[in-house]
Amino acid sequence: MKPFAPKVLYIGLDAASRDLVHDWCQQGLMPNLAALRNKSAWAFTENAPAVYTGSLWPTVWTGTRPGRHACYYNEQIIPGTYKIGDFLGPDVKQE
């Protein structure tokens, strides 16, 4: 017999208004999402204090905090310079 492996589904609604999504689920306008919420554990995500929105997704996909994956925003100062450059997914140095 195989050991039980729980199944996890993470649904992230990027840039969605959590108040609107919550209201629409309650009103029956998003029945599939409402059904998932009624049968599952769910929570709202929030950015860490004083950290911009660019850090949330790398935190989700790496399971580490911004101080560890070093992504605080989608544009950051290039180390050793005063120049600002894009900070994209491949730049995150965590598995």
Side-chain angles (χ1 to χ4, degrees):
M1 185 168 158
K2 291 183 179 182
F4 174 73
K7 294 180 181 180
V8 176
L9 172 66
Y10 183 97
I11 298 175
L13 303 177
D14 193 18
S17 165
R18 68 182 183 186
D19 295 333
L20 286 176
V21 170
H22 178 73
D23 290 347
W24 292 339
C25 285
Q26 297 292 91
Q27 295 169 15
L29 298 172
M30 300 180 83
N32 295 327
L33 188 58
L36 280 171
R37 286 182 43 185
N38 292 336
K39 296 178 183 177
S40 310
W42 63 274
F44 295 119
T45 57
E46 291 188 17
N47 289 324
V51 178
Y52 295 100
T53 58
S55 70
L56 180 65
W57 290 115
T59 297
V60 169
W61 82 63
T62 66
T64 61
R65 295 175 183 254
R68 190 78 185 251
H69 60 63
C71 181
Y72 301 96
Y73 194 64
N74 59 345
E75 291 181 333
Q76 294 184 185
I77 294 175
I78 299 169
T81 75
Y82 291 103
K83 295 179 182 179
I84 295 178
D86 291 336
F87 195 95
L88 306 172
D91 298 317
V92 175
K93 303 300 182 207
Q94 288 286 311
E95 293 184 12

